[in-house]
PDB file of all heavy atoms in Angstrom:
ATOM      1  N   THR A  85     -29.200  63.941  77.682  1.00 94.00           N
ATOM      2  CA  THR A  85     -30.282  64.808  77.213  1.00 94.00           C
ATOM      3  C   THR A  85     -29.922  65.442  75.875  1.00 94.00           C
ATOM      4  O   THR A  85     -30.748  65.484  74.951  1.00 94.00           O
ATOM      5  CB  THR A  85     -30.584  65.900  78.269  1.00 94.00           C
ATOM      6  OG1 THR A  85     -31.039  65.254  79.458  1.00 94.00           O
ATOM      7  CG2 THR A  85     -31.649  66.878  77.778  1.00 94.00           C
ATOM      8  N   GLN A 125     -37.054  66.384  79.864  1.00 72.00           N
ATOM      9  CA  GLN A 125     -36.611  66.346  81.253  1.00 72.00           C
ATOM     10  C   GLN A 125     -37.206  67.525  82.026  1.00 72.00           C
ATOM     11  O   GLN A 125     -37.704  67.367  83.123  1.00 72.00           O
ATOM     12  CB  GLN A 125     -35.081  66.384  81.305  1.00 72.00           C
ATOM     13  CG  GLN A 125     -34.536  66.002  82.661  1.00 72.00           C
ATOM     14  CD  GLN A 125     -33.032  65.786  82.627  1.00 72.00           C
ATOM     15  OE1 GLN A 125     -32.356  66.110  81.651  1.00 72.00           O
ATOM     16  NE2 GLN A 125     -32.499  65.236  83.692  1.00 72.00           N
ATOM     17  N   ASP A 197     -36.977  61.102  78.954  1.00 94.00           N
ATOM     18  CA  ASP A 197     -35.727  61.532  79.572  1.00 94.00           C
ATOM     19  C   ASP A 197     -35.870  61.465  81.094  1.00 94.00           C
ATOM     20  O   ASP A 197     -36.537  62.302  81.700  1.00 94.00           O
ATOM     21  CB  ASP A 197     -35.394  62.960  79.117  1.00 94.00           C
ATOM     22  CG  ASP A 197     -33.925  63.298  79.322  1.00 94.00           C
ATOM     23  OD1 ASP A 197     -33.182  62.472  79.889  1.00 94.00           O
ATOM     24  OD2 ASP A 197     -33.524  64.410  78.910  1.00 94.00           O
ATOM     25  N   GLU A 198     -35.283  60.447  81.675  1.00 93.00           N
ATOM     26  CA  GLU A 198     -35.376  60.202  83.120  1.00 93.00           C
ATOM     27  C   GLU A 198     -36.809  60.228  83.625  1.00 93.00           C
ATOM     28  O   GLU A 198     -37.149  60.985  84.531  1.00 93.00           O
ATOM     29  CB  GLU A 198     -34.522  61.212  83.878  1.00 93.00           C
ATOM     30  CG  GLU A 198     -33.058  60.998  83.605  1.00 93.00           C
ATOM     31  CD  GLU A 198     -32.187  61.960  84.393  1.00 93.00           C
ATOM     32  OE1 GLU A 198     -32.580  62.340  85.508  1.00 93.00           O
ATOM     33  OE2 GLU A 198     -31.125  62.311  83.883  1.00 93.00           O
TER      34      GLU A 198
HETATM   35 MG1  LIG B 922     -30.314  65.003  81.157  1.00 80.91          MG
END
Side-chain angles (χ1 to χ4, degrees):
T85 297
Q125 194 169 11
D197 199 356
E198 293 182 32

